[in-house]
Amino acid sequence: MSALVAPVSAAAGSHSERARGGAVVSVEQAADLTAEEVAGELRGKIDSSQVRYGVTAYRVIYRTTDSAGAPTTASQLVVLPKNGARHLSTVSWLHGTTVYRKDVASENPKSNDRLVALLFASTGRAVSAPDYVGLGSGEGFHPYGDPRATVAASVDGLRAARTLAHRNGRELKRKVQVSGFSQGGPATMLVGRALQQEGADRSFRLGALAPVSGPYHLSAFEAAAADDKIAKSGIYLAYFVTAWNKMYGLYTSPGDVFRSPYDSKVEGLFDGHHTAGQIVSELPAASEDLFTEDFLNRIRKPDGVLKDKLRPMDNTCDWRPNVPVEIFHGRGDKDVDISHAAYCADQLTRNGATHRLTDIGEYDHNGSVRQALPRIVRFFDESAKTG
């Protein structure tokens, strides 16, 4: 379903209006589902027992900034519940590692992130599920793991969601509950800190944090990938390295980093237009087969610009949230070790923050988020009562 709703011309409004972060560029209806249809979409993938309402989902393109702080556009899925409420609680859902730009909530009806957004909205909440910069219908490349662009796309996504809700005669409550999976775990903590400490938007306040299976100690995660201690290590590391090279200049030539014959094709594969399956079929899964040993040693013991840029991503939990926090992880996760959840919890403890660390069992990386979601809904329900 793709009925155009209230298009906004990019030329509309003053220059300052057009350049403002969160300004809506276009809105397109992506789905309109009854509660029974939402439950049907979730069935066999995510527990549907908490579904209460039908939902309407929209693909929204909005203005934001990239990793260099330059103006760009990004896309997101905004989902509103059909529950008749004028004032809506809001969830910001931050997705995990995605290499193919169409595998995001706004574009792929079968993606896990679309299903997650439908679930949260069907419980009576408004949902902003940003695709991040460079994925979905947004411009440019995806600055994978860049904190500045991550926060900008997420906070500007909330602003755009507020505008869309308002056009529908509804208002978003000030408190935002933030959750995210994998790459979205540290993103959850970054966005939470921006809302609480940095006053990213005066209309929003942080309500609760529920990160799932995130690599909160990124330098340790990349070092483990260099040592082939995680699943799909070469693919994860290649995505990270090619994106960070575009942003920060990690190497002069692909041949400095990648072994032949892969040095001639790696950068082209991570252009956002190749699926994960296509990339896996072209590249070896092991880092030792894909990268030069000299470069792997740089990842194991980073220095210079790499060390400087990794530092913020090793400290996404190094602050004191003044809201309920629950960190979810699965001990069967072979992609992101459960030690990352403990690392985040330790940083929060050192800052005097109250939090709960929940091991959801012997589930793998993708299984962990599916198991965590019903608990997150309950946690958000509890948080709203106490907050």
Side-chain angles (χ1 to χ4, degrees), residues 72-141:
T72 189
T73 60
S75 55
Q76 67 171 333
L77 190 76
V78 177
V79 194
L80 302 178
K82 296 198 276 190
N83 63 348
R86 177 173 164 80
H87 296 276
L88 297 170
S89 297
T90 307
V91 168
S92 176
W93 172 255
L94 307 176
H95 69 72
T97 299
T98 305
V99 292
Y100 179 48
R101 63 161 54 234
K102 299 296 183 186
D103 265 349
V104 289
S106 77
E107 296 278 354
N108 182 356
K110 300 301 178 188
S111 73
N112 274 337
D113 297 297
R114 170 75 66 95
L115 300 182
V116 173
L118 296 180
L119 170 65
F120 280 128
S122 75
T123 66
R125 297 167 166 91
V127 181
S128 166
D131 301 327
Y132 306 147
V133 171
L135 295 172
S137 318
E139 300 168 334
F141 76 99

Side-chain angles (χ1 to χ4, degrees), residues 9-306:
S9 164
S14 67
H15 175 75
S16 60
E17 178 74 12
R18 295 200 306 274
R20 185 171 54 85
V24 172
V25 175
S26 67
V27 178
E28 197 178 357
Q29 187 172 295
D32 188 46
L33 304 170
T34 64
E36 292 74 20
E37 288 169 332
V38 172
E41 292 289 327
L42 300 181
R43 197 164 295 124
K45 298 166 186 169
I46 297 170
D47 181 355
S48 62
S49 62
Q50 293 162 313
V51 172
R52 293 175 61 200
Y53 306 107
V55 304
T56 308
Y58 304 89
R59 184 180 303 109
V60 180
I61 298 176
Y62 59 97
R63 302 205 176 279
T64 189
T65 48
D66 63 16
S67 58
T72 189
T73 60
S75 55
Q76 67 171 333
L77 190 76
V78 177
V79 194
L80 302 178
K82 296 198 276 190
N83 63 348
R86 177 173 164 80
H87 296 276
L88 297 170
S89 297
T90 307
V91 168
S92 176
W93 172 255
L94 307 176
H95 69 72
T97 299
T98 305
V99 292
Y100 179 48
R101 63 161 54 234
K102 299 296 183 186
D103 265 349
V104 289
S106 77
E107 296 278 354
N108 182 356
K110 300 301 178 188
S111 73
N112 274 337
D113 297 297
R114 170 75 66 95
L115 300 182
V116 173
L118 296 180
L119 170 65
F120 280 128
S122 75
T123 66
R125 297 167 166 91
V127 181
S128 166
D131 301 327
Y132 306 147
V133 171
L135 295 172
S137 318
E139 300 168 334
F141 76 99
H142 175 47
Y144 181 42
D146 176 68
R148 183 179 188 176
T150 298
V151 170
S154 304
V155 174
D156 288 338
L158 284 167
R159 293 182 176 120
R162 181 176 62 211
T163 298
L164 175 64
H166 187 72
R167 287 183 190 170
N168 281 271
R170 309 176 84 173
E171 304 298 332
L172 301 188
K173 294 179 182 177
R174 290 189 69 193
K175 284 192 176 176
V176 180
Q177 299 171 320
V178 189
S179 183
F181 165 61
S182 193
Q183 176 188 352
T188 294
M189 302 308 293
L190 285 165
V191 171
R193 182 163 55 193
L195 290 172
Q196 177 180 301
Q197 293 188 342
E198 295 155 26
D201 189 293
R202 284 176 299 181
S203 299
F204 291 117
R205 279 174 44 214
L206 184 59
L209 292 165
V212 187
S213 304
Y216 309 103
H217 192 183
L218 189 60
S219 58
F221 176 81
E222 303 302 346
D227 288 335
D228 287 318
K229 290 180 177 174
I230 61 174
K232 303 181 286 291
S233 52
I235 309 300
Y236 273 121
L237 190 54
Y239 193 18
F240 166 77
V241 168
T242 53
W244 281 41
N245 184 59
K246 285 179 185 173
M247 291 185 285
Y248 311 130
L250 300 187
Y251 56 83
T252 306
S253 158
D256 300 338
V257 172
F258 299 102
R259 295 181 184 274
S260 178
Y262 309 114
D263 55 338
S264 63
K265 61 167 97 171
V266 171
E267 291 184 333
L269 288 169
F270 288 98
D271 61 356
H273 298 287
H274 289 78
T275 66
Q278 287 172 324
I279 293 169
V280 167
S281 71
E282 292 280 339
L283 299 179
S287 292
E288 68 173 354
D289 297 328
L290 181 55
F291 292 89
T292 65
E293 189 61 22
D294 282 350
F295 187 75
L296 291 177
N297 284 329
R298 279 187 61 196
I299 296 293
R300 291 173 184 127
K301 292 190 175 175
D303 58 13
V305 68
L306 180 58

